[in-house]
């Protein structure tokens, strides 16, 4: 296989999975470990990916956020497993905040309709599914962001300031040892930060690809929430565990 063909294959794999390992590439490319390492180095030099230990990750634009439809297609099974685990943590008669996002959306089918809970959400999509399941729901008003279906802005914040929560479940675009929890949109970050400050227990639901990722806007330090994930980071799980509680789906 020509060098250009290998490079194209590597970039296509990253578009699909966000992270790719050297071992994943050696067999389909029929190339040695040293060849793959050179390919990754060349692609990093061109600004097309970021090398990590044992492989590479997709180059991120700090303020880019994919639409809900695209997000839902990635790590679909993992998100369902995380969502089920998170939903089972909800305590009877609790008031919870459910953030906009694909993994929090996946929680709704697993939320018990017998536990008499009250849900506050800033997502039109979430509110619709909650009401269809006869779960008591308050939807925050505001300007709707088309890509995430989330209500944002000063009106949303004024409404949110009125509430206090037993539990908050939030999505994040990145969890980084130094940068903490981040998300691309400053307005969404403000909503998440406020909800976390008004909740007794915070949970961030995120798949393994979000570890050590950084996006545009800081939301909160890692210590402010328990992370529920499908798989712990192999290289720095102890460092994450020193900063926050991690719950791995079994």
């Amino acid at each position: 296989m020509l060098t250009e063909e290998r490079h194209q294959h590597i970039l296509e794999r990253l578009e699909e999975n966000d992270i790719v390992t050297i071992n994943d590439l050696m067999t389909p490319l029929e190339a040695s470990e040293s060849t793959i390492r050179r390919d990754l180095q060349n692609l990093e030099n061109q600004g097309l990916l970021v090398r990590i230990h044992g492989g590479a990750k997709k180059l991120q634009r700090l303020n880019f956020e994919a639409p809900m439809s695209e997000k839902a297609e990635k790590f679909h099974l993992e998100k369902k497993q995380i969502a089920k685990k998170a939903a089972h943590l909800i305590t009877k008669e609790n008031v919870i905040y459910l953030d906009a996002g694909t993994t929090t959306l996946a929680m709704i089918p697993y939320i018990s309709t017998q536990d008499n809970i009250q849900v506050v959400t800033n997502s039109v999509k979430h509110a619709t599914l909650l009401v269809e399941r006869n779960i008591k729901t308050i939807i925050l008003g505001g300007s709707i962001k088309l890509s995430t279906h989330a209500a944002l802005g000063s009106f949303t914040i004024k409404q949110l300031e009125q509430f206090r929560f037993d539990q908050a479940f939030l999505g994040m675009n990145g969890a980084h040892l130094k940068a903490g929890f981040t998300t691309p949109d400053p307005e969404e970050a403000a909503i998440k930060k406020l909800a976390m400050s008004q909740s007794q227990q915070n949970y961030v639901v995120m798949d393994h690809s979000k570890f050590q990722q950084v996006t545009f806007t800081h939301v909160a330090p890692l210590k402010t929430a328990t992370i529920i994930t499908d798989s712990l980071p192999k290289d720095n799980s102890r460092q994450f565990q020193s900063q926050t509680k991690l719950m791995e789906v079994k």
Side-chain angles (χ1 to χ4, degrees), residues 143-155:
S143 177
I144 305 299
K145 183 177 178 180
L146 297 181
S147 62
T148 62
H149 304 163
L152 304 173
S154 59
F155 188 56

Side-chain angles (χ1 to χ4, degrees), residues 12-81:
E12 288 174 355
R13 287 290 295 272
L14 283 174
E15 282 298 320
E16 295 172 359
N17 301 307
D18 291 336
I19 294 175
V20 66
T21 68
I22 292 172
N23 288 337
D24 291 337
L25 296 169
M26 288 170 63
T27 299
L29 294 180
E30 298 180 345
S32 66
E33 180 179 342
S34 59
T35 298
I36 300 299
R37 288 188 184 278
R38 284 196 298 272
D39 287 339
L40 296 181
Q41 178 68 68
N42 289 335
L43 290 167
E44 184 177 54
N45 292 342
Q46 297 175 54
L48 298 174
L49 55 75
V50 177
R51 285 188 303 149
I52 59 175
H53 179 69
K57 66 181 181 180
K58 183 178 178 180
L59 190 68
Q60 269 196 315
R61 285 175 284 165
L62 291 177
N63 63 349
F64 171 76
E65 183 154 26
M68 285 277 284
S69 57
E70 183 178 327
K71 287 182 180 180
E73 294 175 359
K74 290 188 174 182
F75 305 111
H76 177 68
L77 178 59
E78 290 87 345
K79 288 178 180 178
K80 286 183 67 175
Q81 293 172 331

Side-chain angles (χ1 to χ4, degrees), residues 62-65 71 145 171-174 181-190 192 214-219:
L62 291 177
N63 63 349
F64 171 76
E65 183 154 26
K71 287 182 180 180
K145 183 177 178 180
M172 295 288 174
N173 295 74
F181 295 117
T182 59
T183 196
D185 189 326
E187 288 193 319
E188 287 206 69
K192 293 175 191 287
V214 179
T215 55
F216 184 54
T217 311
H218 173 76
V219 177

Side-chain angles (χ1 to χ4, degrees), residues 15-239:
E15 282 298 320
E16 295 172 359
N17 301 307
D18 291 336
I19 294 175
V20 66
T21 68
I22 292 172
N23 288 337
D24 291 337
L25 296 169
M26 288 170 63
T27 299
L29 294 180
E30 298 180 345
S32 66
E33 180 179 342
S34 59
T35 298
I36 300 299
R37 288 188 184 278
R38 284 196 298 272
D39 287 339
L40 296 181
Q41 178 68 68
N42 289 335
L43 290 167
E44 184 177 54
N45 292 342
Q46 297 175 54
L48 298 174
L49 55 75
V50 177
R51 285 188 303 149
I52 59 175
H53 179 69
K57 66 181 181 180
K58 183 178 178 180
L59 190 68
Q60 269 196 315
R61 285 175 284 165
L62 291 177
N63 63 349
F64 171 76
E65 183 154 26
M68 285 277 284
S69 57
E70 183 178 327
K71 287 182 180 180
E73 294 175 359
K74 290 188 174 182
F75 305 111
H76 177 68
L77 178 59
E78 290 87 345
K79 288 178 180 178
K80 286 183 67 175
Q81 293 172 331
I82 295 165
K84 186 175 182 179
K85 176 83 168 181
H88 288 169
L89 295 174
I90 297 173
T91 305
K92 189 174 182 179
E93 298 186 350
N94 267 6
V95 177
I96 72 167
Y97 179 76
L98 201 59
D99 184 36
T102 54
T103 309
T104 52
L105 182 67
M107 288 175 58
I108 296 174
Y110 300 109
I111 296 175
S112 172
T113 58
Q114 307 301 315
D115 285 347
N116 192 33
I117 67 166
Q118 170 82 63
V119 180
V120 177
T121 184
N122 68 326
S123 168
V124 175
K125 204 164 197 175
H126 290 45
T128 300
L129 292 179
L130 288 162
V131 170
E132 287 176 355
R133 300 201 66 226
N134 293 315
I135 295 171
K136 290 187 293 184
T137 303
I138 294 174
I139 182 171
L140 302 174
S143 177
I144 305 299
K145 183 177 178 180
L146 297 181
S147 62
T148 62
H149 304 163
L152 304 173
S154 59
F155 188 56
T156 312
I157 288 175
K158 285 181 180 179
Q159 286 183 294
L160 182 56
E161 286 173 342
Q162 302 175 47
F163 303 116
R164 297 296 181 272
F165 309 107
D166 297 299
Q167 297 167 300
F169 295 88
L170 306 107
M172 295 288 174
N173 295 74
H176 191 275
L177 288 168
K178 291 184 178 180
F181 295 117
T182 59
T183 196
D185 189 326
E187 288 193 319
E188 287 206 69
I191 299 295
K192 293 175 191 287
K193 186 173 184 176
L194 178 58
M196 293 174 79
S197 72
Q198 299 183 174
S199 175
Q200 294 183 40
Q201 291 180 300
N202 293 311
Y203 299 93
V204 167
V205 290
M206 51 175 261
D207 65 73
H208 63 275
S209 70
K210 306 293 179 61
F211 285 102
Q212 283 301 87
Q213 298 295 303
V214 179
T215 55
F216 184 54
T217 311
H218 173 76
V219 177
L222 294 180
K223 66 181 180 181
T224 56
T226 296
I227 298 175
I228 307 174
T229 186
D230 59 297
S231 178
L232 300 181
K234 295 178 180 178
D235 295 335
N236 43 31
S237 61
R238 288 185 179 180
Q239 291 172 281

